[in-house]
């Protein structure tokens, strides 16, 4: 069993986090596709949100990286970056799942 100091454990953990991000993002894509397919004002608003969210999330992550807030190890930086996006994806899934 890898310990905290074991770099392979950190990489494995990062891989699992990335897999979860992909699974969660897939559900958001499905929910957004249904909303966009329904058309109307809600679909137009969702399309605008999609673009704005991505720009905002990327800029926030770039700022964290610039300020050295993501850490110093490669798997640590990756884990914080994935966590950054997973929080936003989970918030979208929650919002889009509401009736």
């Amino acid at each position: 069993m890898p310990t905290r100091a074991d770099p392979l454990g950190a990489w494995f953990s990062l891989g699992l986090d990335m897999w979860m991000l992909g699974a969660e993002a897939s559900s958001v894509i499905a929910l957004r596709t249904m909303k966009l397919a329904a058309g109307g004002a809600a679909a137009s608003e969702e399309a605008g949100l999609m673009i704005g969210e991505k720009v905002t999330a990327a800029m926030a992550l770039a700022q964290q990286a610039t300020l050295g807030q993501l850490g110093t190890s490669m798997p640590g930086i990756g884990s914080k970056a994935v966590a950054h996006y997973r929080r936003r994806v989970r918030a979208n899934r929650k919002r889009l799942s509401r009736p």
Side-chain angles (χ1 to χ4, degrees):
M1 187 92 186
T3 63
R4 281 276 208 204
D6 181 5
L8 290 180
W11 284 109
F12 184 76
S13 179
L14 174 58
L16 287 178
D17 288 344
M18 291 173 69
W19 182 85
M20 284 300 300
L21 174 59
E24 292 163 347
S26 293
S27 67
V28 170
I29 290 168
L31 290 166
R32 277 190 162 150
T33 299
M34 289 188 293
K35 190 163 196 163
L36 293 171
S44 181
E45 183 180 336
E46 188 63 32
L49 277 175
M50 285 184 346
I51 308 281
E53 288 173 346
K54 286 170 180 47
V55 171
T56 301
M59 289 175 61
L61 187 61
Q63 180 181 18
Q64 289 176 12
T66 302
L67 296 174
Q69 297 172 339
L70 298 180
T72 56
S73 73
M74 290 305 288
I77 292 168
S79 290
K80 286 185 180 177
V82 170
H84 172 82
Y85 284 112
R86 281 189 73 193
R87 280 189 296 277
R88 283 149 179 81
V89 169
R90 282 191 304 264
N92 277 324
R93 188 180 67 215
K94 183 177 178 181
R95 178 180 57 79
L96 290 164
S97 295
R98 285 187 227 129

